[in-house]
Amino acid sequence: MSTLVDTPTLTRAEWTAAAAAHAERADALTADHRARASRAEKHPVEDFLFTYYSYKPAVLRRWHPGPGVVLADAPERAGWRWYLSHGDGVEVDAARFGVERGSLYRGVVNLLRATRDRPAQFGCFGLHEWAMAYRADEVRHAVPLRLGRDGTDAVVETHDLKCTHFDAFRFFTPDAVPRNRRLLSRDGQAEHEQPGCLHAGMDVYKWAVKLGPLVPGTLLLDAFALARDIRTLDMEASPYDLTVWGYRPVAIETADGKAEYVTRQRALSERGQLLRRAVIDAVTGIGDTPGGADFLPSRTVL
């Protein structure tokens, strides 16, 4: 049978236990959403991650060890996409992923690196959600505005909009767009994305999913948990009244609200930075490789 040099190997008992524990954690994270879906009910905060990103709970249940780990006695995974067989063992085929998804890989890793290396900014106060409702005939969420229409518009008009995240900016109302400190574009995303942004932190989950089997299961679920916590603050600081859903507003139009927002934003940003570094290390090797987003080298087979 073929053997791998200096390659960590998990026995069948070890990797099946890890996969089962992963599935159990994933099920716990998605239990409420799945229960609501079975009743055709929707939640304005907790269901967002499944609608905005369009990833089903099943995506979270599938465990991968990440590159460079052999799963012994794993014939059922021999046919999985981007897995490579070695006798009765398998490992993630990072080289093949690079051939088939090279452009996506480079784009994601370069964006993660650019965001990681840029200083965090903490002066936006979550006003992107307010800008999405500014002077709008209809709002994005079917819940009432906490300050009403005029009060919501007044908050936007008395604050400096500093959004740096294109996928939030693109939902600004036409009247809010010119109020932002800079006009953002998809092509310039890597130039402006910064680690203090809530949505940039939430997107670590999206990038982890897109990198598929290159991202170890623990990192994927940690990224989802972070995204869920970010979404909570995102909506608590929004113009919407979610008290009937059990959410206490973070009144960013006040000094105390701004202080609370920044304190929580900093903590979430720190978690996001830890995850960015972990994902980058997992998919490029331990530490950065010089010259850009390189793939892990193929393992030597004897």
Side-chain angles (χ1 to χ4, degrees):
M1 185 181 79
S2 298
T3 59
L4 295 176
V5 176
D6 297 329
T7 302
T9 298
L10 297 180
T11 66
R12 181 171 182 84
E14 290 172 332
W15 73 259
T16 55
H22 173 93
E24 183 177 358
R25 182 186 175 198
D27 287 345
L29 287 168
T30 64
D32 291 344
H33 169 75
R34 289 182 288 109
R36 283 190 299 273
S38 70
R39 301 189 298 266
E41 296 175 0
K42 295 183 179 180
H43 193 290
V45 179
E46 296 179 7
D47 291 338
F48 176 81
L49 296 180
F50 300 98
T51 56
Y52 181 67
Y53 293 125
S54 300
Y55 300 138
K56 298 182 182 299
V59 171
L60 289 167
R61 292 190 93 249
R62 177 166 284 198
W63 174 81
H64 299 288
V69 178
V70 173
L71 307 182
D73 188 17
E76 63 268 49
R77 293 203 174 203
W80 282 26
R81 192 174 189 184
W82 299 312
Y83 270 72
L84 178 66
S85 295
H86 296 296
D88 65 352
V90 301
E91 70 169 317
V92 172
D93 192 347
R96 184 175 178 185
F97 189 95
V99 171
E100 298 183 6
R101 291 289 186 270
S103 178
L104 178 145
Y105 172 91
R106 287 185 292 273
V108 170
V109 174
N110 287 336
L111 179 60
L112 288 172
R113 282 175 168 162
T115 307
R116 175 201 62 188
D117 295 340
R118 191 166 287 120
Q121 302 172 31
F122 299 106
C124 68
F125 305 123
L127 283 163
H128 54 277
E129 286 287 346
W130 299 73
M132 295 176 196
Y134 181 61
R135 294 184 178 178
D137 294 330
E138 297 182 1
V139 294
R140 289 172 53 79
H141 303 287
V143 289
L145 294 170
R146 181 167 57 82
L147 302 181
R149 164 57 49 213
D150 291 343
T152 299
D153 291 348
V155 169
V156 175
E157 291 166 359
T158 56
H159 286 77
D160 185 14
L161 299 184
K162 305 175 183 178
C163 184
T164 58
H165 185 69
F166 174 72
D167 280 317
F169 176 76
R170 68 190 177 98
F171 292 111
F172 279 25
T173 64
D175 287 335
V177 166
R179 289 183 170 274
N180 202 47
R181 179 169 291 188
R182 59 171 58 92
L183 297 181
L184 304 175
S185 67
R186 177 69 69 196
D187 290 343
Q189 186 171 4
E191 299 173 17
H192 301 296
E193 200 88 306
Q194 50 86 20
C197 171
L198 290 188
H199 278 254
M202 195 158 55
D203 274 357
V204 175
Y205 164 59
K206 174 175 71 174
W207 303 133
V209 173
K210 287 186 177 295
L211 290 172
L214 300 185
V215 176
T218 298
L219 293 183
L220 174 63
L221 296 189
D222 285 350
F224 178 84
L226 172 63
R228 186 181 61 177
D229 291 345
I230 288 174
R231 179 58 178 172
T232 297
L233 176 59
D234 200 30
M235 291 306 288
E236 287 177 339
S238 78
Y240 300 101
D241 185 352
L242 295 162
T243 52
V244 70
W245 294 89
Y247 294 90
R248 178 184 61 81
V250 177
I252 55 90
E253 71 276 11
T254 69
D256 287 346
K258 286 181 173 65
E260 178 184 351
Y261 182 87
V262 171
T263 296
R264 293 171 62 181
Q265 182 186 25
R266 285 182 179 276
L268 292 168
S269 175
E270 290 172 4
R271 287 171 61 189
Q273 284 288 67
L274 289 174
L275 277 172
R276 280 189 194 90
R277 296 185 187 106
V279 170
I280 292 167
D281 284 349
V283 304
T284 63
I286 301 302
D288 283 343
T289 52
D294 299 328
F295 281 95
L296 285 167
S298 298
R299 296 291 179 178
T300 299
V301 181
L302 299 179

